[in-house]
Structure formats: structure tokens, C-alpha cells
Amino acid sequence: MKIMFLGAPGAGKGTRAEKIAAALNIPQISTGEILRRAIKEQTPMGLKAQSYIESGALVPDDVVIEIVKERLAEADCANGYILDGFPRTIPQAEALEQFASLDCVIEVRVAKEIIVDRLSGRRYCPKCGHTTHIEWGEKVCAVCGGELIQRKDDAPESIRQRLAVYEEQTAPLIDFYHKKGILKVVSGMGKIEDGLKEIMQVLGC
Ligand code: AP5
């Protein structure tokens, strides 16, 4: 199954995509995570992306389209995948149609008021990409034991910028995929376990 998770920053796309991908035994492809790794390793792509990400802007379309095109050509994507954070603009969605065909787009919807709390309390493991929240009490990464840190783009000014970018450039994808008849909306509020059950039902699994 070829699935895409859509939603505002902090909606819970990554948290859900990680678990659904494991349950379906398909890879989770997070463009944000690929870019953060490239920054950590200071590759040419990472150096190009760093200032965009840290300020809360989108990385140029041509860079992310190429990343996803290459990643989807890898063997582990043959039986499906979850795209987490791509596409994020109409040109990205149109480019994706040239090399992949999605079965389902899941919009994770949350009330705007909770987003800032979620993002400012989020902690991230740069070693394995696992994400948690300070309220959940993890002291070190529950997956690999690595150190948990705050993402630079979870600073208040970056959060404001990311939300504005989402409304302007990414939210139009809701209508784009609704018109194609493949959009499903789920709640990003409430307990994560309930959210996962809802997604599995929507996917017919
Ligand atoms: P990316 O990493 O994709 O960031 P994002 O879309 O802003 O999404 P987030 O990771 O902030 O949120 P999420 O919805 O995954 O929420 P999470 O599950 O972590 O992208 C980062 C940057 O990379 C972009 O700004 C851009 O610069 C660049 N980029 C990436 N893709 C790009 C593209 N296609 N084009 C151009 N540029 C691109 O949850 C958030 C917090 O809430 C966590 O702490 C979590 O533990 C907690 N939480 C989740 N669900 C619940 C719940 N039900 N109850 C309580 N807490 C919860």
C-alpha cells in the first residue's frame, strides 16, 4: 500500500507513521528526517537545506523531489511505503505523479491551539529519529538509548513560520487529494493508540 500522511507541523504525522509502517512492514519515508540526517552529516544537500529548515521555511522543491524519487526506487519500497512530509506543495504533488501513484492520503487533523504545546515539548533522538514528548517522561531514547534533544525548528519563531508556510503552501493539498478521491481524514487528538486504530480501520487493515 502506498500511503501519504498530511497535516500541520505537530499534528502527529511522524508518531503515527512510525507505528503504522512497523505494523504494515513497509518503510516510513520522512523527508524531514532524511534532511536532518544530511545536516548532521554535513553533506552538500544538508548544507543547502540547513538554513531553510532551521528558519521554518520549505527546502526547494527540486531538492526534495530528487530525494524522494531516489528513495522510492530502492528495493524496500517495492511493496509500499508511507510518505511522511512529502509532498508539501502542489508542484511536489504533481512531480510525484510522474513516478508514483498513491493509494491513500491520510490527513491527521488537530486543533491549532495544541500545536505549539506539542512542538515546544517535543524531544527527538538524532541517532535513530525517534520522537517523544516531555510529558511522557522518557529520559533517554526508548528505541536506541540515545540522547534526546530539542529540534532547532521547534523554537517559537520557527514554529510560527512553519505554521504560516503550512497554511499557504501545504494545506491546498487537502483539496488536491480530495478531488482525486483518495483523501481520508483522521483525528490527531486523543490517545495515540486510538488514533492508530482509526487509521488501520480507514486503511481497511
Ligand atoms: P518535518 O520533519 O516533516 O516536520 P513537520 O511537517 O513540521 O512535522 P513535525 O515533525 O513537526 O510534526 P509531526 O506531524 O510529524 O508530529 P510528531 O509526530 O512529531 O519537516 C521539517 C522541515 O524539513 C520542514 O519545515 C522543511 O523545512 C523541511 N522539509 C521536510 N519535508 C519537506 C518537503 N516535502 N518540502 C520542503 N521542505 C521539506 O508529533 C509532535 C509532538 O506531539 C511529539 O512530541 C509527539 O510525541 C506529540 N504527540 C503526537 N501525537 C500526540 C497525541 N495524540 N497526544 C499527545 N501528544 C502527541
PDB file of all heavy atoms in Angstrom, residues 8-16 31-32 35-36 53 57-59 64 85-86 88 92 118-119 122 131-133 136 151 162 188 190 192, ligand 1:
ATOM      1  N   ALA A   8      -0.638  19.494   9.609  1.00  0.00           N
ATOM      2  CA  ALA A   8       0.164  20.628  10.080  1.00  0.00           C
ATOM      3  C   ALA A   8       1.380  20.132  10.872  1.00  0.00           C
ATOM      4  O   ALA A   8       1.380  18.998  11.368  1.00  0.00           O
ATOM      5  CB  ALA A   8      -0.704  21.508  10.974  1.00  0.00           C
ATOM      6  N   PRO A   9       2.399  20.979  11.015  1.00  0.00           N
ATOM      7  CA  PRO A   9       3.515  20.621  11.895  1.00  0.00           C
ATOM      8  C   PRO A   9       2.957  20.277  13.279  1.00  0.00           C
ATOM      9  O   PRO A   9       2.080  20.981  13.788  1.00  0.00           O
ATOM     10  CB  PRO A   9       4.344  21.913  11.986  1.00  0.00           C
ATOM     11  CG  PRO A   9       3.938  22.735  10.825  1.00  0.00           C
ATOM     12  CD  PRO A   9       2.537  22.338  10.450  1.00  0.00           C
ATOM     13  N   GLY A  10       3.430  19.187  13.842  1.00  0.00           N
ATOM     14  CA  GLY A  10       2.982  18.813  15.190  1.00  0.00           C
ATOM     15  C   GLY A  10       1.660  18.070  15.233  1.00  0.00           C
ATOM     16  O   GLY A  10       1.184  17.711  16.310  1.00  0.00           O
ATOM     17  N   ALA A  11       1.062  17.798  14.079  1.00  0.00           N
ATOM     18  CA  ALA A  11      -0.227  17.080  14.076  1.00  0.00           C
ATOM     19  C   ALA A  11      -0.060  15.657  14.597  1.00  0.00           C
ATOM     20  O   ALA A  11      -1.010  15.046  15.076  1.00  0.00           O
ATOM     21  CB  ALA A  11      -0.811  17.062  12.671  1.00  0.00           C
ATOM     22  N   GLY A  12       1.151  15.128  14.464  1.00  0.00           N
ATOM     23  CA  GLY A  12       1.394  13.755  14.915  1.00  0.00           C
ATOM     24  C   GLY A  12       1.619  12.799  13.750  1.00  0.00           C
ATOM     25  O   GLY A  12       1.512  11.583  13.906  1.00  0.00           O
ATOM     26  N   LYS A  13       1.973  13.337  12.592  1.00  0.00           N
ATOM     27  CA  LYS A  13       2.204  12.503  11.403  1.00  0.00           C
ATOM     28  C   LYS A  13       3.319  11.493  11.655  1.00  0.00           C
ATOM     29  O   LYS A  13       3.171  10.302  11.419  1.00  0.00           O
ATOM     30  CB  LYS A  13       2.601  13.353  10.177  1.00  0.00           C
ATOM     31  CG  LYS A  13       1.639  14.439   9.820  1.00  0.00           C
ATOM     32  CD  LYS A  13       2.132  15.259   8.650  1.00  0.00           C
ATOM     33  CE  LYS A  13       3.384  16.061   8.901  1.00  0.00           C
ATOM     34  NZ  LYS A  13       3.243  17.137   9.899  1.00  0.00           N
ATOM     35  N   GLY A  14       4.458  12.010  12.129  1.00  0.00           N
ATOM     36  CA  GLY A  14       5.629  11.152  12.321  1.00  0.00           C
ATOM     37  C   GLY A  14       5.394  10.065  13.358  1.00  0.00           C
ATOM     38  O   GLY A  14       5.748   8.903  13.156  1.00  0.00           O
ATOM     39  N   THR A  15       4.757  10.453  14.470  1.00  0.00           N
ATOM     40  CA  THR A  15       4.477   9.488  15.550  1.00  0.00           C
ATOM     41  C   THR A  15       3.616   8.345  15.010  1.00  0.00           C
ATOM     42  O   THR A  15       3.872   7.169  15.273  1.00  0.00           O
ATOM     43  CB  THR A  15       3.731  10.201  16.696  1.00  0.00           C
ATOM     44  OG1 THR A  15       4.526  11.310  17.128  1.00  0.00           O
ATOM     45  CG2 THR A  15       3.482   9.272  17.869  1.00  0.00           C
ATOM     46  N   ARG A  16       2.594   8.687  14.247  1.00  0.00           N
ATOM     47  CA  ARG A  16       1.696   7.662  13.712  1.00  0.00           C
ATOM     48  C   ARG A  16       2.350   6.884  12.579  1.00  0.00           C
ATOM     49  O   ARG A  16       2.210   5.655  12.502  1.00  0.00           O
ATOM     50  CB  ARG A  16       0.393   8.320  13.231  1.00  0.00           C
ATOM     51  CG  ARG A  16      -0.498   8.716  14.391  1.00  0.00           C
ATOM     52  CD  ARG A  16      -1.480   9.805  14.032  1.00  0.00           C
ATOM     53  NE  ARG A  16      -2.234  10.217  15.211  1.00  0.00           N
ATOM     54  CZ  ARG A  16      -1.738  10.950  16.210  1.00  0.00           C
ATOM     55  NH1 ARG A  16      -0.467  11.347  16.178  1.00  0.00           N
ATOM     56  NH2 ARG A  16      -2.480  11.273  17.252  1.00  0.00           N
ATOM     57  N   THR A  31      10.767  12.976   4.761  1.00  0.00           N
ATOM     58  CA  THR A  31      11.727  13.885   4.136  1.00  0.00           C
ATOM     59  C   THR A  31      12.404  14.753   5.199  1.00  0.00           C
ATOM     60  O   THR A  31      13.584  15.059   5.094  1.00  0.00           O
ATOM     61  CB  THR A  31      11.051  14.766   3.056  1.00  0.00           C
ATOM     62  OG1 THR A  31       9.760  15.160   3.512  1.00  0.00           O
ATOM     63  CG2 THR A  31      10.937  14.027   1.753  1.00  0.00           C
ATOM     64  N   GLY A  32      11.656  15.105   6.251  1.00  0.00           N
ATOM     65  CA  GLY A  32      12.265  15.892   7.333  1.00  0.00           C
ATOM     66  C   GLY A  32      13.421  15.130   7.959  1.00  0.00           C
ATOM     67  O   GLY A  32      14.497  15.683   8.204  1.00  0.00           O
ATOM     68  N   LEU A  35      16.446  14.895   5.641  1.00  0.00           N
ATOM     69  CA  LEU A  35      17.152  16.183   5.607  1.00  0.00           C
ATOM     70  C   LEU A  35      17.925  16.424   6.910  1.00  0.00           C
ATOM     71  O   LEU A  35      19.057  16.917   6.885  1.00  0.00           O
ATOM     72  CB  LEU A  35      16.157  17.318   5.346  1.00  0.00           C
ATOM     73  CG  LEU A  35      15.540  17.329   3.939  1.00  0.00           C
ATOM     74  CD1 LEU A  35      14.296  18.213   3.878  1.00  0.00           C
ATOM     75  CD2 LEU A  35      16.565  17.808   2.903  1.00  0.00           C
ATOM     76  N   ARG A  36      17.321  16.057   8.050  1.00  0.00           N
ATOM     77  CA  ARG A  36      18.033  16.260   9.336  1.00  0.00           C
ATOM     78  C   ARG A  36      19.311  15.410   9.380  1.00  0.00           C
ATOM     79  O   ARG A  36      20.335  15.852   9.883  1.00  0.00           O
ATOM     80  CB  ARG A  36      17.127  15.923  10.522  1.00  0.00           C
ATOM     81  CG  ARG A  36      16.173  17.060  10.882  1.00  0.00           C
ATOM     82  CD  ARG A  36      15.396  16.787  12.149  1.00  0.00           C
ATOM     83  NE  ARG A  36      14.384  15.771  11.996  1.00  0.00           N
ATOM     84  CZ  ARG A  36      13.184  15.975  11.434  1.00  0.00           C
ATOM     85  NH1 ARG A  36      12.839  17.163  10.983  1.00  0.00           N
ATOM     86  NH2 ARG A  36      12.307  14.987  11.329  1.00  0.00           N
ATOM     87  N   ILE A  53      15.523  24.818   6.860  1.00  0.00           N
ATOM     88  CA  ILE A  53      14.861  24.048   7.917  1.00  0.00           C
ATOM     89  C   ILE A  53      14.858  24.808   9.230  1.00  0.00           C
ATOM     90  O   ILE A  53      13.833  24.909   9.907  1.00  0.00           O
ATOM     91  CB  ILE A  53      15.556  22.684   8.099  1.00  0.00           C
ATOM     92  CG1 ILE A  53      15.326  21.838   6.852  1.00  0.00           C
ATOM     93  CG2 ILE A  53      15.041  21.966   9.347  1.00  0.00           C
ATOM     94  CD1 ILE A  53      15.580  20.387   7.001  1.00  0.00           C
ATOM     95  N   ALA A  57      11.346  27.446   6.938  1.00  0.00           N
ATOM     96  CA  ALA A  57      10.924  27.536   5.526  1.00  0.00           C
ATOM     97  C   ALA A  57      10.976  26.161   4.876  1.00  0.00           C
ATOM     98  O   ALA A  57      11.573  25.228   5.435  1.00  0.00           O
ATOM     99  CB  ALA A  57      11.843  28.506   4.782  1.00  0.00           C
ATOM    100  N   LEU A  58      10.378  26.026   3.705  1.00  0.00           N
ATOM    101  CA  LEU A  58      10.481  24.768   2.970  1.00  0.00           C
ATOM    102  C   LEU A  58      11.781  24.728   2.181  1.00  0.00           C
ATOM    103  O   LEU A  58      12.230  25.745   1.646  1.00  0.00           O
ATOM    104  CB  LEU A  58       9.308  24.608   1.992  1.00  0.00           C
ATOM    105  CG  LEU A  58       7.919  24.404   2.601  1.00  0.00           C
ATOM    106  CD1 LEU A  58       6.893  24.173   1.488  1.00  0.00           C
ATOM    107  CD2 LEU A  58       7.901  23.237   3.582  1.00  0.00           C
ATOM    108  N   VAL A  59      12.353  23.539   2.087  1.00  0.00           N
ATOM    109  CA  VAL A  59      13.526  23.309   1.236  1.00  0.00           C
ATOM    110  C   VAL A  59      13.015  23.352  -0.215  1.00  0.00           C
ATOM    111  O   VAL A  59      11.877  22.941  -0.480  1.00  0.00           O
ATOM    112  CB  VAL A  59      14.136  21.927   1.606  1.00  0.00           C
ATOM    113  CG1 VAL A  59      15.243  21.537   0.664  1.00  0.00           C
ATOM    114  CG2 VAL A  59      14.627  21.956   3.057  1.00  0.00           C
ATOM    115  N   VAL A  64      13.888  18.219  -2.729  1.00  0.00           N
ATOM    116  CA  VAL A  64      13.119  17.134  -2.075  1.00  0.00           C
ATOM    117  C   VAL A  64      12.538  16.157  -3.085  1.00  0.00           C
ATOM    118  O   VAL A  64      12.445  14.956  -2.820  1.00  0.00           O
ATOM    119  CB  VAL A  64      12.013  17.660  -1.133  1.00  0.00           C
ATOM    120  CG1 VAL A  64      12.561  18.089   0.194  1.00  0.00           C
ATOM    121  CG2 VAL A  64      11.204  18.755  -1.746  1.00  0.00           C
ATOM    122  N   GLY A  85       5.469  13.743   5.236  1.00  0.00           N
ATOM    123  CA  GLY A  85       6.016  15.089   4.997  1.00  0.00           C
ATOM    124  C   GLY A  85       6.335  15.386   3.549  1.00  0.00           C
ATOM    125  O   GLY A  85       6.954  16.397   3.247  1.00  0.00           O
ATOM    126  N   PHE A  86       5.928  14.540   2.643  1.00  0.00           N
ATOM    127  CA  PHE A  86       6.082  14.772   1.205  1.00  0.00           C
ATOM    128  C   PHE A  86       4.885  14.165   0.500  1.00  0.00           C
ATOM    129  O   PHE A  86       4.522  13.035   0.842  1.00  0.00           O
ATOM    130  CB  PHE A  86       7.364  14.134   0.664  1.00  0.00           C
ATOM    131  CG  PHE A  86       7.551  14.347  -0.826  1.00  0.00           C
ATOM    132  CD1 PHE A  86       8.308  15.404  -1.305  1.00  0.00           C
ATOM    133  CD2 PHE A  86       6.945  13.500  -1.748  1.00  0.00           C
ATOM    134  CE1 PHE A  86       8.450  15.617  -2.670  1.00  0.00           C
ATOM    135  CE2 PHE A  86       7.079  13.713  -3.109  1.00  0.00           C
ATOM    136  CZ  PHE A  86       7.842  14.756  -3.572  1.00  0.00           C
ATOM    137  N   ARG A  88       4.518  18.439  -0.153  1.00  0.00           N
ATOM    138  CA  ARG A  88       4.165  19.556   0.715  1.00  0.00           C
ATOM    139  C   ARG A  88       3.812  20.806  -0.064  1.00  0.00           C
ATOM    140  O   ARG A  88       3.545  21.843   0.538  1.00  0.00           O
ATOM    141  CB  ARG A  88       5.405  19.891   1.548  1.00  0.00           C
ATOM    142  CG  ARG A  88       5.262  19.709   3.006  1.00  0.00           C
ATOM    143  CD  ARG A  88       6.671  19.856   3.505  1.00  0.00           C
ATOM    144  NE  ARG A  88       6.697  20.219   4.855  1.00  0.00           N
ATOM    145  CZ  ARG A  88       6.960  19.359   5.832  1.00  0.00           C
ATOM    146  NH1 ARG A  88       7.186  18.105   5.563  1.00  0.00           N
ATOM    147  NH2 ARG A  88       7.002  19.781   7.055  1.00  0.00           N
ATOM    148  N   GLN A  92       5.229  19.703  -5.883  1.00  0.00           N
ATOM    149  CA  GLN A  92       5.764  18.404  -5.428  1.00  0.00           C
ATOM    150  C   GLN A  92       4.748  17.290  -5.710  1.00  0.00           C
ATOM    151  O   GLN A  92       5.114  16.196  -6.138  1.00  0.00           O
ATOM    152  CB  GLN A  92       6.078  18.434  -3.933  1.00  0.00           C
ATOM    153  CG  GLN A  92       7.288  19.281  -3.566  1.00  0.00           C
ATOM    154  CD  GLN A  92       7.561  19.301  -2.069  1.00  0.00           C
ATOM    155  OE1 GLN A  92       7.126  18.437  -1.324  1.00  0.00           O
ATOM    156  NE2 GLN A  92       8.310  20.310  -1.625  1.00  0.00           N
ATOM    157  N   ARG A 118       2.592  20.947  21.705  1.00  0.00           N
ATOM    158  CA  ARG A 118       3.191  19.693  21.237  1.00  0.00           C
ATOM    159  C   ARG A 118       4.617  19.902  20.737  1.00  0.00           C
ATOM    160  O   ARG A 118       5.518  19.128  21.041  1.00  0.00           O
ATOM    161  CB  ARG A 118       2.358  19.118  20.092  1.00  0.00           C
ATOM    162  CG  ARG A 118       1.151  18.392  20.607  1.00  0.00           C
ATOM    163  CD  ARG A 118       0.707  17.438  19.562  1.00  0.00           C
ATOM    164  NE  ARG A 118      -0.496  16.757  19.991  1.00  0.00           N
ATOM    165  CZ  ARG A 118      -1.233  16.008  19.205  1.00  0.00           C
ATOM    166  NH1 ARG A 118      -0.893  15.857  17.948  1.00  0.00           N
ATOM    167  NH2 ARG A 118      -2.294  15.406  19.675  1.00  0.00           N
ATOM    168  N   LEU A 119       4.805  20.954  19.938  1.00  0.00           N
ATOM    169  CA  LEU A 119       6.135  21.135  19.339  1.00  0.00           C
ATOM    170  C   LEU A 119       7.153  21.646  20.346  1.00  0.00           C
ATOM    171  O   LEU A 119       8.313  21.235  20.325  1.00  0.00           O
ATOM    172  CB  LEU A 119       6.045  22.082  18.138  1.00  0.00           C
ATOM    173  CG  LEU A 119       5.272  21.524  16.945  1.00  0.00           C
ATOM    174  CD1 LEU A 119       5.251  22.526  15.797  1.00  0.00           C
ATOM    175  CD2 LEU A 119       5.871  20.213  16.465  1.00  0.00           C
ATOM    176  N   ARG A 122       8.294  18.711  22.383  1.00  0.00           N
ATOM    177  CA  ARG A 122       8.794  17.532  21.663  1.00  0.00           C
ATOM    178  C   ARG A 122      10.288  17.338  21.908  1.00  0.00           C
ATOM    179  O   ARG A 122      11.065  18.279  21.984  1.00  0.00           O
ATOM    180  CB  ARG A 122       8.568  17.711  20.164  1.00  0.00           C
ATOM    181  CG  ARG A 122       9.269  16.622  19.355  1.00  0.00           C
ATOM    182  CD  ARG A 122       8.777  16.521  17.955  1.00  0.00           C
ATOM    183  NE  ARG A 122       8.942  17.732  17.176  1.00  0.00           N
ATOM    184  CZ  ARG A 122       8.452  17.883  15.965  1.00  0.00           C
ATOM    185  NH1 ARG A 122       7.764  16.915  15.402  1.00  0.00           N
ATOM    186  NH2 ARG A 122       8.636  19.013  15.309  1.00  0.00           N
ATOM    187  N   THR A 131      10.793  10.063  18.153  1.00  0.00           N
ATOM    188  CA  THR A 131      10.249  11.302  18.709  1.00  0.00           C
ATOM    189  C   THR A 131       9.412  11.003  19.939  1.00  0.00           C
ATOM    190  O   THR A 131       8.680  10.014  19.977  1.00  0.00           O
ATOM    191  CB  THR A 131       9.360  11.970  17.628  1.00  0.00           C
ATOM    192  OG1 THR A 131      10.204  12.536  16.646  1.00  0.00           O
ATOM    193  CG2 THR A 131       8.507  13.063  18.203  1.00  0.00           C
ATOM    194  N   THR A 132       9.502  11.870  20.944  1.00  0.00           N
ATOM    195  CA  THR A 132       8.684  11.720  22.143  1.00  0.00           C
ATOM    196  C   THR A 132       8.280  13.114  22.635  1.00  0.00           C
ATOM    197  O   THR A 132       8.539  14.110  21.966  1.00  0.00           O
ATOM    198  CB  THR A 132       9.449  10.917  23.223  1.00  0.00           C
ATOM    199  OG1 THR A 132       8.580  10.712  24.338  1.00  0.00           O
ATOM    200  CG2 THR A 132      10.713  11.634  23.673  1.00  0.00           C
ATOM    201  N   HIS A 133       7.622  13.149  23.796  1.00  0.00           N
ATOM    202  CA  HIS A 133       7.194  14.435  24.348  1.00  0.00           C
ATOM    203  C   HIS A 133       7.587  14.471  25.816  1.00  0.00           C
ATOM    204  O   HIS A 133       7.520  13.429  26.491  1.00  0.00           O
ATOM    205  CB  HIS A 133       5.672  14.583  24.194  1.00  0.00           C
ATOM    206  CG  HIS A 133       5.195  15.985  24.447  1.00  0.00           C
ATOM    207  ND1 HIS A 133       4.989  16.487  25.708  1.00  0.00           N
ATOM    208  CD2 HIS A 133       4.914  16.994  23.589  1.00  0.00           C
ATOM    209  CE1 HIS A 133       4.589  17.743  25.621  1.00  0.00           C
ATOM    210  NE2 HIS A 133       4.534  18.079  24.341  1.00  0.00           N
ATOM    211  N   TRP A 136       5.717  12.595  28.477  1.00  0.00           N
ATOM    212  CA  TRP A 136       5.703  11.131  28.529  1.00  0.00           C
ATOM    213  C   TRP A 136       6.849  10.566  29.360  1.00  0.00           C
ATOM    214  O   TRP A 136       6.966   9.342  29.516  1.00  0.00           O
ATOM    215  CB  TRP A 136       5.702  10.535  27.111  1.00  0.00           C
ATOM    216  CG  TRP A 136       4.515  10.991  26.308  1.00  0.00           C
ATOM    217  CD1 TRP A 136       3.415  11.647  26.787  1.00  0.00           C
ATOM    218  CD2 TRP A 136       4.302  10.855  24.906  1.00  0.00           C
ATOM    219  NE1 TRP A 136       2.542  11.928  25.765  1.00  0.00           N
ATOM    220  CE2 TRP A 136       3.051  11.460  24.608  1.00  0.00           C
ATOM    221  CE3 TRP A 136       5.037  10.300  23.862  1.00  0.00           C
ATOM    222  CZ2 TRP A 136       2.532  11.513  23.318  1.00  0.00           C
ATOM    223  CZ3 TRP A 136       4.528  10.342  22.580  1.00  0.00           C
ATOM    224  CH2 TRP A 136       3.277  10.948  22.320  1.00  0.00           C
ATOM    225  N   ARG A 151      14.566  19.877  18.684  1.00  0.00           N
ATOM    226  CA  ARG A 151      14.886  20.273  17.316  1.00  0.00           C
ATOM    227  C   ARG A 151      15.021  21.787  17.238  1.00  0.00           C
ATOM    228  O   ARG A 151      14.255  22.510  17.872  1.00  0.00           O
ATOM    229  CB  ARG A 151      13.767  19.809  16.363  1.00  0.00           C
ATOM    230  CG  ARG A 151      13.950  18.398  15.903  1.00  0.00           C
ATOM    231  CD  ARG A 151      12.756  17.816  15.167  1.00  0.00           C
ATOM    232  NE  ARG A 151      12.112  18.660  14.170  1.00  0.00           N
ATOM    233  CZ  ARG A 151      11.088  18.254  13.409  1.00  0.00           C
ATOM    234  NH1 ARG A 151      10.638  17.012  13.530  1.00  0.00           N
ATOM    235  NH2 ARG A 151      10.531  19.067  12.539  1.00  0.00           N
ATOM    236  N   ARG A 162       6.624  27.903  10.402  1.00  0.00           N
ATOM    237  CA  ARG A 162       6.191  26.624   9.812  1.00  0.00           C
ATOM    238  C   ARG A 162       4.673  26.558   9.679  1.00  0.00           C
ATOM    239  O   ARG A 162       4.150  26.025   8.700  1.00  0.00           O
ATOM    240  CB  ARG A 162       6.705  25.455  10.669  1.00  0.00           C
ATOM    241  CG  ARG A 162       8.197  25.230  10.478  1.00  0.00           C
ATOM    242  CD  ARG A 162       8.800  24.469  11.629  1.00  0.00           C
ATOM    243  NE  ARG A 162       8.261  23.138  11.758  1.00  0.00           N
ATOM    244  CZ  ARG A 162       8.297  22.428  12.886  1.00  0.00           C
ATOM    245  NH1 ARG A 162       8.833  22.939  13.972  1.00  0.00           N
ATOM    246  NH2 ARG A 162       7.812  21.221  12.914  1.00  0.00           N
ATOM    247  N   GLY A 188      -6.112  13.754  15.071  1.00  0.00           N
ATOM    248  CA  GLY A 188      -4.783  13.696  15.696  1.00  0.00           C
ATOM    249  C   GLY A 188      -4.866  14.028  17.178  1.00  0.00           C
ATOM    250  O   GLY A 188      -3.851  14.170  17.850  1.00  0.00           O
ATOM    251  N   GLY A 190      -6.571  13.226  21.144  1.00  0.00           N
ATOM    252  CA  GLY A 190      -6.849  11.996  21.901  1.00  0.00           C
ATOM    253  C   GLY A 190      -5.632  11.094  21.996  1.00  0.00           C
ATOM    254  O   GLY A 190      -4.515  11.481  21.630  1.00  0.00           O
ATOM    255  N   ILE A 192      -2.869   8.223  21.419  1.00  0.00           N
ATOM    256  CA  ILE A 192      -2.213   7.733  20.207  1.00  0.00           C
ATOM    257  C   ILE A 192      -2.753   6.359  19.809  1.00  0.00           C
ATOM    258  O   ILE A 192      -3.008   6.111  18.638  1.00  0.00           O
ATOM    259  CB  ILE A 192      -0.690   7.668  20.444  1.00  0.00           C
ATOM    260  CG1 ILE A 192      -0.214   9.093  20.622  1.00  0.00           C
ATOM    261  CG2 ILE A 192       0.004   6.965  19.280  1.00  0.00           C
ATOM    262  CD1 ILE A 192       1.174   9.376  20.319  1.00  0.00           C
TER     263      ILE A 192
HETATM  264  P1  AP5 B   1       9.205  17.539   9.179  1.00  0.00           P
HETATM  265  O1  AP5 B   1      10.163  16.805   9.997  1.00  0.00           O
HETATM  266  O2  AP5 B   1       8.355  16.789   8.195  1.00  0.00           O
HETATM  267  O3  AP5 B   1       8.325  18.459  10.128  1.00  0.00           O
HETATM  268  P2  AP5 B   1       6.766  18.849  10.145  1.00  0.00           P
HETATM  269  O4  AP5 B   1       5.932  18.510   8.963  1.00  0.00           O
HETATM  270  O5  AP5 B   1       6.795  20.268  10.524  1.00  0.00           O
HETATM  271  O6  AP5 B   1       6.167  17.879  11.091  1.00  0.00           O
HETATM  272  P3  AP5 B   1       6.636  17.634  12.524  1.00  0.00           P
HETATM  273  O7  AP5 B   1       7.746  16.643  12.521  1.00  0.00           O
HETATM  274  O8  AP5 B   1       6.891  18.940  13.213  1.00  0.00           O
HETATM  275  O9  AP5 B   1       5.303  17.082  13.170  1.00  0.00           O
HETATM  276  P4  AP5 B   1       4.547  15.704  13.087  1.00  0.00           P
HETATM  277  O10 AP5 B   1       3.186  15.943  12.493  1.00  0.00           O
HETATM  278  O11 AP5 B   1       5.368  14.626  12.481  1.00  0.00           O
HETATM  279  O12 AP5 B   1       4.332  15.498  14.636  1.00  0.00           O
HETATM  280  P5  AP5 B   1       5.022  14.466  15.644  1.00  0.00           P
HETATM  281  O13 AP5 B   1       4.524  13.079  15.361  1.00  0.00           O
HETATM  282  O14 AP5 B   1       6.486  14.688  15.728  1.00  0.00           O
HETATM  283  O15 AP5 B   1       9.966  18.659   8.331  1.00  0.00           O
HETATM  284  C1  AP5 B   1      10.895  19.526   8.933  1.00  0.00           C
HETATM  285  C2  AP5 B   1      11.400  20.534   7.917  1.00  0.00           C
HETATM  286  O16 AP5 B   1      12.051  19.838   6.819  1.00  0.00           O
HETATM  287  C3  AP5 B   1      10.315  21.390   7.224  1.00  0.00           C
HETATM  288  O17 AP5 B   1       9.952  22.516   8.000  1.00  0.00           O
HETATM  289  C4  AP5 B   1      11.045  21.772   5.925  1.00  0.00           C
HETATM  290  O18 AP5 B   1      11.975  22.798   6.131  1.00  0.00           O
HETATM  291  C5  AP5 B   1      11.795  20.500   5.572  1.00  0.00           C
HETATM  292  N1  AP5 B   1      11.012  19.606   4.717  1.00  0.00           N
HETATM  293  C6  AP5 B   1      10.579  18.343   5.024  1.00  0.00           C
HETATM  294  N2  AP5 B   1       9.863  17.839   4.006  1.00  0.00           N
HETATM  295  C7  AP5 B   1       9.830  18.797   3.032  1.00  0.00           C
HETATM  296  C8  AP5 B   1       9.223  18.877   1.748  1.00  0.00           C
HETATM  297  N3  AP5 B   1       8.476  17.864   1.261  1.00  0.00           N
HETATM  298  N4  AP5 B   1       9.388  20.017   1.041  1.00  0.00           N
HETATM  299  C9  AP5 B   1      10.143  21.037   1.500  1.00  0.00           C
HETATM  300  N5  AP5 B   1      10.740  21.037   2.711  1.00  0.00           N
HETATM  301  C10 AP5 B   1      10.583  19.912   3.471  1.00  0.00           C
HETATM  302  O19 AP5 B   1       4.285  14.956  16.993  1.00  0.00           O
HETATM  303  C11 AP5 B   1       4.598  16.223  17.567  1.00  0.00           C
HETATM  304  C12 AP5 B   1       4.693  16.108  19.093  1.00  0.00           C
HETATM  305  O20 AP5 B   1       3.411  15.788  19.617  1.00  0.00           O
HETATM  306  C13 AP5 B   1       5.634  14.982  19.554  1.00  0.00           C
HETATM  307  O21 AP5 B   1       6.293  15.387  20.729  1.00  0.00           O
HETATM  308  C14 AP5 B   1       4.682  13.807  19.859  1.00  0.00           C
HETATM  309  O22 AP5 B   1       5.251  12.981  20.823  1.00  0.00           O
HETATM  310  C15 AP5 B   1       3.438  14.556  20.345  1.00  0.00           C
HETATM  311  N6  AP5 B   1       2.160  13.867  20.047  1.00  0.00           N
HETATM  312  C16 AP5 B   1       1.796  13.321  18.852  1.00  0.00           C
HETATM  313  N7  AP5 B   1       0.550  12.799  18.923  1.00  0.00           N
HETATM  314  C17 AP5 B   1       0.115  13.048  20.201  1.00  0.00           C
HETATM  315  C18 AP5 B   1      -1.103  12.767  20.894  1.00  0.00           C
HETATM  316  N8  AP5 B   1      -2.123  12.127  20.308  1.00  0.00           N
HETATM  317  N9  AP5 B   1      -1.197  13.156  22.171  1.00  0.00           N
HETATM  318  C19 AP5 B   1      -0.182  13.812  22.786  1.00  0.00           C
HETATM  319  N10 AP5 B   1       0.995  14.110  22.185  1.00  0.00           N
HETATM  320  C20 AP5 B   1       1.139  13.729  20.905  1.00  0.00           C
END
